[in-house]
């Protein structure tokens, strides 16, 4: 019978040998052995002794092997201890014992991949790394030749090595633990990399080279854990239904005249396509469908946007499609020219599929074909794609046109021929050349005819739509400004020539202002501002001074007037009955006459003049001066009105000046056309300067903005489309509602739905409406909208509502962050600057860096860690990133305050969607995750696969490595 030694040194080897000699049972052996397990390292000593003694002979010792199996099954020995002992086996020439060692290793590797493990996870990671290194070392020895082993036996063991390496590196649990080991002991891992290179070189001529190469490849992929971007929420529509989030994006682009560059617009479309899981042909179909429906809607609603939609279809879409084609991913293993050919062929086939699907929209195509006699939209659209080399295969075209037979022509003329927009490109170039080369002194009447030809509403709208679509808008505006500069004064002229010059000055002034009015000041003026030749241009400086944005109503620049000239104009206004046109310097009139009229108003208020005197001055200006001068006077009156308490006189004067002049109507050239432009410009400028003049208020009187928003949202849900009228209502609500209230109403619109299909419809509408000012909406949603709802009523976000809101939030982040990146690259126009009060940093922002998680495994290199700095591509001072950091901290605080509830599900869905989103969002969110939150969610993260867990884990942080390893070991099943 075994007796316990009296000395303090534990003679484990003597205990094992005694048990073997006396043939103790596994139970008896374990009872004696447990008395000596006083330290965690003792199990490693026992495992070393058991393994070394069990396989010391030519054949394994069955008794000791049974002890090992029993100890593992009862938990007395850990898998890590056994693997550490196995890695010390060096007697490779003992074939049977070595074969059994491999079998033991393979068996236990299979077991730990199938069941949860309760042992120290970091130790297990290290021993798996040691096993991997042992296998490579053995393979190297077998390749070089082991004494006493025949080549056939060596090949057998090489295959065994490769099989176990494959099992280690491809099965979920062991491969994940090895990945952590790679970060836990990076210096030790370099030895594996060295062995890997040696083995690959040594096996070059071996018959098992392929198996060895595959094993080496599996090892090299351990530190690569890329996240493949997935759609945030896929499309769940019938095949021909309008997809509102994408359609709304295009509608806002056209109706608001955003004029995004084709490359930037194509990138935005690609991002939306990825968010919603659209294939290439689905994206192309929805783009074409939206544009055709937008054109049809503009004709039926009789808006001015008919020309913009024509330009979008025939001028911008081909350019955007070309950019989409170039953005297609090609093979890394083929030449650029070969890739270009393949991408063109693939894109053409997808475009043909989209057009085939378009043929199923019989009602839409029939309605379009009946707008204009002799126009077949499918045919014209296809022919245009052919001319742009987007479609090259003639059989495809013929087959496509056979599918849709020509519809009967009804001979209606409800719109102009949309294909005229294509011809307008050359017309625009000729016009700019004529304006640039025109000499008023030698050919005034010819220039007048030119401007009269373009001044008609339809003609000019076609030209500016063409200019906008072809990127010539600012160039066209600068040509008009330069022409205006050339006719502002003359040294010698008769009355007829003076009248023509006044009309030309007025036309060029009003047309330029109409451009700025239609497309907004930054779009037209910012490119011109970069050219030094326009710095001294009067019209450029006048627009720059007077054209304010609604957000800056209080800022109006006042021109420096000439006192002597003001006095001259005061005298004319008081004593004259007519305004002389000959030799008049119209820029001088626009600057000084308004101030002269203001002096008259001041004199009337002081009692020096009567109201009749003011009325006479108004009539003189209205009946004799160009409309641009009247515009300048009225703006000056508005500025003066804002600076005084009593302004009844100012309002009456504005009403008189705004009236149509019968005198000019009878005698002046093209007065009606000019007055139409004058009226539109006046409404916009007055509404921007003073809210009480805002024309958008009139149709909505009697209802609050909140009521209008709710009704319009419901109408959009019922019709599935945002037409021009609903868009104006949304813009009105955005203008007169606080954005926090607007955001809260949008969230409330979602929360009132219960059924999945109704929730998805509401989400699509809200997501679309938010694109009116997506960055501001997203900031307010993250700052207060979602946190307030989670705090006040967490049960309101039960699925499917909570899941839908989480996915929409990630989609909003995706677009905002990528848009900011595109703006940095100058592919998108800069938006308005946000107020810093919107994104003031929270007190928690300065937390220790150990409580932030950054993604390290998305590095482009195979083994290098990603840098510890910001990897999102955006500066940390970016407003949306500041707000996002605060939002994630709020989520974590809410999670710690409450018992498990729908809140936990919402947070997990949000993080999961963010991790599977585009790399920019994925990296941005991961940098801000607190370690405690990762620990809380680690078990759910690992259930969804290694990529998701590692994407949320900073494996350069020892604390996070342990969290990840524990989650891997304790997981029941792994993907």
């Amino acid at each position: 019978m075994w007796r316990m030694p009296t000395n303090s040194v534990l003679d484990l080897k003597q205990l094992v040998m005694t048990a073997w000699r006396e043939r103790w049972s596994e139970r008896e052996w374990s009872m004696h052995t447990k008395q000596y397990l006083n330290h965690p390292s003792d199990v490693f000593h026992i495992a070393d002794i058991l393994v070394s003694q069990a396989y010391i002979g030519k054949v394994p010792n069955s008794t000791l092997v049974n002890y090992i199996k029993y100890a593992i099954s009862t938990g007395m020995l850990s898998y890590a201890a056994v693997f550490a002992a196995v890695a010390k086996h060096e007697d490779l020439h003992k074939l049977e014992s070595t074969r059994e060692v491999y079998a033991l290793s393979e068996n236990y590797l299979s077991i730990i991949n199938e069941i949860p493990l309760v042992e120290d996870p970091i130790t297990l990671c290290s021993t798996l790394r040691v096993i991997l290194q042992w296998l490579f070392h053995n393979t190297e020895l077998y390749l070089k030749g082991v004494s006493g082993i025949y080549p056939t036996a060596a090949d057998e063991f090489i295959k065994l090595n490769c099989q176990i390496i494959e099992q280690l590196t491809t099965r979920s649990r062991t491969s994940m633990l090895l990945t952590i080991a790679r970060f836990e002991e990076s210096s030790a891992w370099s030895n594996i990399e060295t062995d890997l290179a040696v083995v690959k070189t040594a096996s070059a001529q071996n018959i098992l080279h392929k198996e060895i190469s595959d094993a080496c490849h599996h090892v090299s992929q351990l530190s690569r854990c890329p996240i493949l971007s997935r759609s945030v929420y896929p499309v769940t529509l019938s095949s021909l239904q309008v997809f509102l989030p994408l359609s709304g994006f295009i509608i806002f682009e056209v109706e608001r005249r955003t004029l995004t560059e084709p490359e930037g617009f194509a990138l935005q479309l690609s991002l939306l396509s990825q968010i919603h899981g659209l294939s290439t042909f689905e994206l192309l179909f929805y783009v074409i469908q939206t544009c055709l429906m937008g054109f049809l809607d503009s004709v039926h609603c009789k808006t001015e946007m008919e020309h913009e939609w024509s330009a979008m279809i025939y001028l911008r879409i081909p350019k955007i499609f070309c950019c989409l084609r170039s953005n297609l991913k090609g093979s890394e293993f083929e030449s650029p020219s070969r890739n270009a050919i393949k991408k063109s062929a693939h894109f053409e086939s997808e475009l043909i599929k989209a057009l085939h699907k378009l043929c199923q929209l019989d009602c839409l195509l029939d309605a379009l074909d009946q707008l204009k006699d002799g126009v077949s939209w499918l045919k014209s659209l296809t022919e245009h794609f052919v001319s742009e080399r987007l479609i090259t295969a003639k059989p495809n075209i013929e087959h496509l046109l056979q599918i849709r037979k020509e519809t009967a022509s009804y001979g209606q003329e409800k719109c102009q021929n949309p294909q005229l927009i294509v011809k307008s490109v050359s017309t625009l170039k000729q016009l700019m050349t004529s304006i640039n080369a025109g000499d008023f002194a030698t050919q005034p009447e010819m220039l007048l005819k030119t401007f009269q030809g373009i001044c008609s509403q339809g003609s000019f709208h076609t030209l500016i739509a063409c200019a906008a679509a072809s990127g010539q808008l600012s160039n066209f505006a600068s040509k008009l400004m330069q022409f205006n500069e050339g006719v502002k004064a003359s040294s010698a002229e008769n009355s007829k020539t003076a009248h023509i010059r006044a009309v030309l000055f007025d036309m060029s002034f009003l047309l330029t202002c109409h451009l700025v009015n239609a497309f907004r000041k930054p779009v037209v003026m910012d490119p011109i501002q970069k050219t030094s030749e326009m710095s001294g241009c009067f019209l450029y400086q006048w627009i720059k001074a007077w054209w304010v944005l609604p957000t800056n109503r209080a800022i109006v620049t006042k021109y420096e007037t000439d006192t002597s000239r003001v006095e001259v104009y005061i005298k004319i206004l008081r004593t004259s009955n007519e305004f002389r046109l000959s030799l008049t310097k119209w820029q001088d009139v626009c600057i000084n006459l308004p101030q002269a009229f203001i002096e008259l108003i001041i004199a009337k208020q002081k009692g020096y003049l009567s109201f009749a005197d003011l009325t006479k001055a108004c009539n003189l200006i209205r009946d004799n001066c160009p409309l641009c001068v009247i515009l300048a006077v009225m703006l000056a009156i508005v500025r003066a009105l804002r600076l005084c308490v009593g302004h009844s006189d100012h309002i009456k004067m504005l009403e008189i000046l705004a009236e149509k002049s019968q005198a000019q109507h009878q005698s002046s050239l093209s007065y009606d056309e000019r007055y139409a432009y004058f009226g539109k410009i006046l409404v916009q400028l007055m509404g921007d300067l003073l809210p009480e003049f805002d024309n958008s208020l009139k149709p909505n009187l009697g209802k609050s903005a909140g009521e209008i928003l709710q009704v319009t949202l419901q109408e959009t849900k019922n019709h599935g489309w945002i037409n021009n009228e609903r868009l104006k209502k949304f813009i009105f609500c955005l203008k007169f509602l606080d954005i926090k209230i607007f955001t809260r109403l949008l969230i409330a619109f979602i929360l009132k739905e219960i059924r999945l299909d109704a929730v998805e419809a509401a989400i699509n509408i809200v997501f679309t409406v938010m694109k009116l000012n997506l960055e501001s909406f997203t900031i307010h949603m993250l700052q207060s909208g979602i946190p307030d709802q989670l705090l006040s009523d967490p049960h309101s976000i039960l699925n499917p509502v909570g899941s839908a809101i989480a996915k929409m939030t990630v989609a909003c982040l995706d677009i905002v962050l990528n848009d900011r990146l595109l703006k940095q690259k100058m592919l998108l126009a800069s938006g308005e600057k946000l107020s810093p009060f919107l994104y003031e940093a929270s007190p928690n922002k300065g937390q220790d860096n150990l409580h932030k998680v950054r993604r390290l495994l998305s590095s482009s290199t195979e083994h290098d860690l990603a840098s510890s700095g910001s990897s999102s591509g955006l500066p940390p001072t970016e407003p949306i990133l500041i707000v996002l950091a605060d939002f994630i901290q709020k989520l974590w605080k809410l999670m710690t305050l409450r018992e498990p509830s729908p809140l936990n599900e919402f947070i997990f869905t949000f993080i999961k969607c963010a991790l599977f989103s585009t790399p920019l969002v994925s990296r941005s969110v991961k940098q801000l995750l607190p370690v405690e939150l990762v620990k809380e969610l680690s078990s759910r993260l690992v259930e969804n696969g290694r990529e998701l867990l590692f994407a949320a884990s900073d494996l350069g942080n020892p604390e996070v490595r342990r969290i990840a390893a524990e989650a891997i070991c304790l997981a029941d099943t792994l993907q």
Side-chain angles (χ1 to χ4, degrees), residues 21 121 140 304 323 383 448 525 620-621 650 747 767 958:
R21 282 194 302 268
E140 180 184 354
E304 296 178 354
C323 293
E383 289 174 350
L448 178 62
M525 300 295 287
L620 178 66
I621 295 171
H650 299 73
I747 293 176
F767 185 45

Side-chain angles (χ1 to χ4, degrees), residues 686-700:
M686 299 294 249
D688 285 346
L689 289 170
L690 287 177
E692 51 263 44
F693 285 96
D694 196 333
N695 203 39
S696 63
L697 283 169
K698 295 178 182 178
N700 300 307

Side-chain angles (χ1 to χ4, degrees), residues 172-180 942 946 949-950 968 974:
S172 296
R173 201 184 311 268
T174 50
S175 64
M176 294 168 78
L177 293 173
L178 274 175
T179 300
I180 294 175
V942 76
R946 58 177 283 171
L949 176 68
F950 287 157
I968 294 166
L974 291 171

Side-chain angles (χ1 to χ4, degrees), residues 35-86:
Q35 300 177 53
Y36 299 94
L37 299 180
N38 301 318
H39 192 272
S41 62
D42 291 340
V43 295
F44 284 86
H45 297 315
I46 295 175
D48 283 345
I49 295 168
L50 285 174
V51 173
S52 63
Q53 295 301 316
Y55 301 103
I56 196 170
K58 291 185 178 181
V59 293
N61 186 319
S62 59
T63 301
L64 299 186
V65 170
N66 289 335
Y67 289 165
I68 295 172
K69 294 178 180 179
Y70 183 80
I72 282 285
S73 64
T74 58
M76 193 174 91
L77 286 182
S78 65
Y79 289 101
V82 174
F83 287 138
V86 166

